[in-house]
Amino acid sequence: MDAKPDPFNPSDWSQLALKWMFEHLGILGAITLGLVGLAVLAWWNWDKIKALPGVGSVLSWRRLPKASPGHFTVLVAELQNDPKGDHRTNLMAALREKIVGIAVAPLGRCLGGMGSGSHESIDESRVKARRFLRETGAQVLLWGSYHEGKEKGVCLRMEVTEEDGDGRAEHYVYQDIFLQDTLYDDLLGVLAMTVAARQAVFDNMSGHFIADSLKPHTDKVRKLLESSRLSPDAKADVQETLASALLTLGEQSGDSNALREAIGLYKWLLQDMPPTGDAQHRARRQNNLGIALLRLGERESGTERLEEAVKVYRAALTERTRKNDPLAWAMTQNNLGTVLQTLGQREAGTERLEEAVQAYRAALIERTREKVPLAWATTQNNLGCALSILGERESGTERLAEAVLAYRAALTEYTREKVPLDWAMTQNNLGNALLTLGQRESGTERLEEAVQAYRAALTERTREKVPLDWAATQNNMGSALQTLGQRESGTERLLEAVQACRSALTERTHEKVPLDWAMTQNNLGNALSILGEKTGSAGNIFQALEGHLNAWIMFSGTKHYYAKGTFTGIRIDLRVLAALSPPGPVIPQEYREKLTAVHAWAQANNLEFSEYKP
């Protein structure tokens, strides 16, 4: 005989409940009620269930948000230890408030790798983060947890798709940020600056210039660093974040002081790192220091910064080997090539330029079009630059033809729709190679192509967006127009050349970019000299002489390769003046002192200068 359940015995309550459900609800009703109970139980224990192995992959089936094309987007994942989502909601609201023009979207996922409750490693979480960035088209992903320890706060990890040195590739970097409760607002400013710096890089790729919007963020972060409220580790993290933002600001806005500050911060951070520290982290800091030294060295007349950048990149290559990180190794090779090319451009020999070509070709072993198309295009463009400069110094045209091919290859990925400013840069460089080829040919076809390439570049390289790049293309177009004008009977092209050079000088000032200023002064002198000879205008010739003397003073003072070229221009100006006013021109005193210095320099270098007697 079966025993009956005892209603006063707790162990028999489940039997009584089942009996009641079957008698009153039937089998279907009992099953339904059971499922509802399970759902309530799952909801009540959701945080624990989400952390179980395999659950994350099931949750990933949910639909992902999609970033709007051309719009900088930040995704914020669900935070661990944030059951109601309050901390995430506050974080998203603060980002929208502090950074103008970004989209902030929730990601309905909780990535692990943060804290003892996680069943994932950091590397596994980063792999997921990269996948989410690829699939959503976003640029930044924030994830992490709320920390309940001695120092309460939101512990965040940030995964970023960013440019690969001078080029863009599917390259990711990450950064840890701890928003301590007691310093939440201050540290939120650091996060805002970091995101704004990435936004500036992204918008610059899209042809928008917003680097100046970084200044308010950097000012606030400096004040935070001046306080003594940060721990040593937190202070180092904030300093590195500030250095990265200053590098972006200095690159885009032409602010050399921002670059100097970034260099100082990176040097301090590298010096402070223990020898046994994270090799990849050290290499990343070295790479960024190298970029800052390169950008500042490009603007200065000396080569000290550039030589230092070469040492920094070579040191980085001992940490970033091809075996342990092939794409990072290739990026550093590319950047090393850029510095060597800049140095080689200023020297009479070709050794540095040949080294630059080798570095670019090495980078292309890993930077293939299939793996990283935009980074491949960057290195193709850079290779074209080095070959073009080598071609200028050789009598043949083989290197120049190679340069044209490299530029045209780069333009297959550097399209105006995808990366307008990079497309414009490559159009400008293609124009340079075509100009040099055209100068060596009797026809004008290559020269006309060069002018077309420069005009195309100027549709995106506007003065408002990128003032120094706009000035560079104006200068180059002036050279092409001057060469065309020299071969034509009229003066229209020469007048256009003079106007282009004078436009360039509105941004290429002696204070801002002294070497570029000198280059444009020389080109202006060339155009005015030819114009003066054609029109018989001594006034134009004297203006040409002034431009050539200005350029010579800068180039000779720095032992620049172009000093001899400007010296030739000075001699031509004096010959034309002598022909216009025999038996010889009356040289104003303002020019005589400079010409006397030129005469002494010519004697010291065993160069003939019979056109002028002190």
Side-chain angles (χ1 to χ4, degrees):
M1 185 175 179
D2 294 335
K4 293 182 179 180
D6 182 359
F8 298 100
N9 184 356
S11 63
D12 291 337
W13 288 354
S14 60
Q15 296 181 44
L16 289 169
L18 288 171
K19 181 180 178 182
W20 183 89
M21 282 192 294
F22 281 116
E23 288 177 353
H24 292 81
L25 302 176
I27 295 176
L28 185 60
I31 293 173
T32 302
L33 188 62
L35 290 174
V36 171
L38 287 173
V40 171
L41 186 65
W43 175 80
W44 190 261
N45 295 278
W46 184 241
D47 286 338
K48 294 178 181 178
I49 293 171
K50 282 193 297 185
L52 292 174
V55 174
S57 60
V58 174
L59 293 176
S60 66
W61 295 340
R62 289 179 289 169
R63 186 174 180 180
L64 293 171
K66 291 292 181 182
S68 301
H71 206 82
F72 188 84
T73 303
V74 179
L75 295 181
V76 184
E78 294 174 356
L79 302 176
Q80 291 177 296
N81 303 324
D82 184 26
K84 296 182 180 179
D86 293 340
H87 295 293
R88 181 169 78 149
T89 300
N90 293 339
L91 180 61
M92 292 173 64
L95 287 172
R96 292 189 183 105
E97 178 186 349
K98 289 180 178 291
I99 310 171
V100 177
I102 69 168
V104 182
L107 177 69
R109 309 289 191 277
C110 184
L111 280 71
M114 305 288 285
S116 58
S118 172
H119 293 268
E120 291 181 355
S121 70
I122 291 174
D123 287 340
E124 288 172 333
S125 296
R126 289 197 65 204
V127 168
K128 282 187 177 181
R130 295 175 189 181
R131 177 169 64 83
F132 290 141
L133 285 171
R134 282 196 303 270
E135 293 178 2
T136 62
Q139 286 69 48
V140 174
L141 173 57
L142 297 171
W143 83 93
S145 65
Y146 185 77
H147 193 261
E148 292 280 5
K150 184 178 179 181
E151 293 182 339
K152 294 184 178 181
V154 178
C155 186
L156 286 175
R157 171 153 283 128
M158 178 168 64
E159 193 82 17
V160 184
T161 56
E162 71 160 22
E163 63 172 336
D164 237 359
D166 271 0
R168 281 92 194 175
E170 196 174 77
H171 177 66
Y172 299 88
V173 295
Y174 70 95
Q175 182 173 346
D176 289 332
I177 299 171
F178 181 54
L179 302 179
Q180 187 178 334
D181 279 357
T182 55
L183 294 170
Y184 188 82
D185 288 338
D186 289 329
L187 292 170
L188 195 61
V190 177
L191 175 62
M193 182 188 68
T194 306
V195 174
R198 294 300 97 213
Q199 180 195 15
V201 171
F202 172 82
D203 281 15
N204 188 49
M205 288 170 61
S206 306
H208 304 291
F209 177 75
I210 64 160
D212 285 341
S213 65
L214 279 172
K215 289 181 180 178
H217 296 295
T218 56
D219 291 342
K220 290 179 182 177
V221 172
R222 281 194 197 93
K223 289 179 182 178
L224 173 61
L225 286 170
E226 288 169 3
S227 71
S228 57
R229 295 179 293 169
L230 294 171
S231 67
D233 288 344
K235 187 173 183 179
D237 289 341
V238 173
Q239 284 174 319
E240 184 164 12
T241 303
L242 177 60
S244 178
L246 289 167
L247 174 55
T248 300
L249 178 63
E251 280 189 292
Q252 291 190 15
S253 68
D255 185 349
S256 296
N257 286 330
L259 291 175
R260 292 186 186 96
E261 189 177 353
I263 288 168
L265 286 168
Y266 281 126
K267 285 183 176 180
W268 187 90
L269 289 163
L270 284 165
Q271 185 179 356
D272 196 53
M273 283 188 81
T276 56
D278 185 344
Q280 290 302 311
H281 194 181
R282 181 189 302 278
R284 188 167 75 241
R285 286 177 176 177
Q286 287 170 326
N287 180 71
N288 292 343
L289 171 60
I291 293 172
L293 289 165
L294 166 62
R295 294 295 177 243
L296 190 57
E298 288 172 334
R299 298 173 189 177
E300 295 178 342
S301 56
T303 59
E304 183 181 351
R305 305 275 193 185
L306 297 171
E307 295 286 2
E308 191 177 355
V310 170
K311 291 179 183 177
V312 167
Y313 281 129
R314 293 202 192 282
L317 285 169
T318 64
E319 308 275 4
R320 279 182 163 173
T321 64
R322 185 182 175 191
K323 182 179 180 180
N324 64 28
D325 197 341
L327 283 180
W329 170 83
M331 178 188 71
T332 308
Q333 288 283 3
N334 174 79
N335 294 348
L336 173 62
T338 304
V339 182
L340 290 166
Q341 174 192 311
T342 306
L343 278 167
Q345 198 168 5
R346 299 183 184 184
E347 298 172 355
T350 59
E351 183 181 352
R352 302 275 201 169
L353 292 169
E354 295 287 2
E355 285 184 81
V357 169
Q358 290 175 7
Y360 291 139
R361 293 200 193 280
L364 287 169
I365 296 171
E366 294 294 340
R367 275 189 160 185
T368 64
R369 186 177 183 184
E370 294 71 29
K371 278 198 284 190
V372 280
L374 289 178
W376 169 82
T378 293
T379 305
Q380 286 286 357
N381 172 75
N382 294 345
L383 175 62
C385 290
L387 290 168
S388 186
I389 299 166
L390 279 168
E392 290 174 11
R393 301 185 184 181
E394 298 173 355
S395 56
T397 60
E398 183 181 351
R399 301 272 202 170
L400 292 168
E402 281 187 83
V404 170
L405 288 175
Y407 291 135
R408 295 201 191 281
L411 287 169
T412 60
E413 292 294 339
Y414 269 0
T415 63
R416 185 177 182 183
E417 296 72 26
K418 198 187 296 182
V419 279
L421 287 180
D422 289 328
W423 169 83
M425 172 191 67
T426 309
Q427 288 285 357
N428 173 80
N429 295 342
L430 174 61
N432 292 343
L434 291 167
L435 168 59
T436 308
L437 279 170
Q439 289 170 335
R440 298 182 183 181
E441 298 172 354
S442 57
T444 60
E445 183 181 353
R446 299 275 199 178
L447 295 172
E448 295 286 2
E449 283 186 77
V451 172
Q452 289 175 8
Y454 293 135
R455 293 199 194 281
L458 288 170
T459 61
E460 292 294 340
R461 276 189 160 186
T462 65
R463 186 177 182 183
E464 294 72 29
K465 285 182 192 173
V466 279
L468 289 178
D469 292 340
W470 168 82
T473 303
Q474 288 283 0
N475 170 79
N476 297 340
M477 187 166 68
S479 295
L481 290 165
Q482 172 235 305
T483 307
L484 280 168
Q486 194 171 9
R487 298 182 183 183
E488 297 173 356
S489 57
T491 60
E492 183 181 352
R493 300 278 200 165
L494 291 170
L495 289 169
E496 285 185 81
V498 169
Q499 182 57 48
C501 290
R502 285 185 170 149
S503 294
L505 287 169
T506 60
E507 292 293 340
R508 281 188 157 188
T509 63
H510 183 275
E511 296 73 26
K512 198 186 294 184
V513 281
L515 284 179
D516 291 338
W517 169 82
M519 187 73 70
T520 305
Q521 287 282 354
N522 181 70
N523 292 345
L524 176 62
N526 292 341
L528 285 166
S529 184
I530 298 166
L531 182 63
E533 186 175 13
K534 280 195 173 189
T535 60
S537 169
N540 282 335
I541 302 298
F542 275 117
Q543 289 180 51
L545 180 60
E546 182 179 2
H548 285 137
L549 285 169
N550 285 337
W552 177 85
I553 290 169
M554 176 58 65
F555 291 145
S556 64
T558 59
K559 299 182 180 179
H560 199 281
Y561 169 76
Y562 289 104
K564 289 185 179 179
T566 55
F567 172 64
T568 300
I570 292 167
R571 296 186 68 187
I572 292 171
D573 296 338
L574 293 173
R575 287 178 203 157
V576 175
L577 281 172
L580 289 175
S581 54
V586 177
I587 306 294
Q589 184 61 34
E590 59 187 287
Y591 296 119
R592 285 187 171 279
E593 293 179 7
K594 294 177 182 178
L595 286 169
T596 299
V598 175
H599 190 273
W601 174 85
Q603 284 187 320
N605 287 276
N606 298 315
L607 297 172
E608 183 184 351
F609 191 24
S610 57
E611 291 81 6
Y612 179 76
K613 302 293 183 191

